[in-house]
């Protein structure tokens, strides 16, 4: 072993800040799958671009969700 860590990169299609409920739900599902896949593969790091939205309240909600899910894993 060279002492290197594997870092995965989440799909660019994930958009937790979306103003569209369907996209937000698909993004949450996709993020969970990404985290589960990393767990199964023993990967400790996941690069994620959480997305964006026009609605400030939605962006704050999405940030809080991201904080919550990351504290689970």
């Amino acid at each position: 072993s060279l002492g290197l860590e594997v870092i995965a990169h989440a799909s660019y299609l994930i958009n937790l800040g979306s103003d569209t409920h369907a996209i937000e739900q698909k993004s949450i599902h996709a993020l969970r799958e990404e985290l589960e896949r990393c767990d199964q593969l023993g990967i400790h790091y996941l690069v994620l671009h959480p997305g964006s939205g026009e609605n400030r309240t939605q962006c704050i909600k999405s940030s809080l969700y991201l904080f919550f899910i990351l504290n689970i894993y």
Side-chain angles (χ1 to χ4, degrees):
S1 171
L2 298 174
L4 301 175
E5 290 281 342
V6 173
I7 301 172
H9 195 292
S11 169
Y12 282 106
L13 298 176
I14 294 174
N15 185 359
L16 298 171
S18 176
D19 298 330
T20 306
H21 182 71
I23 293 174
E24 177 192 27
Q25 292 304 305
K26 288 177 184 178
S27 296
I28 289 168
H29 179 75
L31 177 56
R32 286 183 185 207
E33 284 185 338
E34 294 275 7
L35 290 168
E36 288 171 4
R37 189 174 303 115
C38 285
D39 189 49
Q40 291 169 353
L41 296 172
I43 298 172
H44 298 113
Y45 302 100
L46 177 67
V47 175
L48 169 70
H49 304 277
S52 63
E54 304 227 356
N55 181 328
R56 181 175 168 86
T57 302
Q58 180 63 26
C59 289
I60 292 170
K61 176 183 161 194
S62 299
S63 297
L64 290 172
Y65 177 78
L66 184 58
F67 175 77
F68 173 74
I69 197 169
L70 292 176
N71 280 313
I72 291 173
Y73 287 89

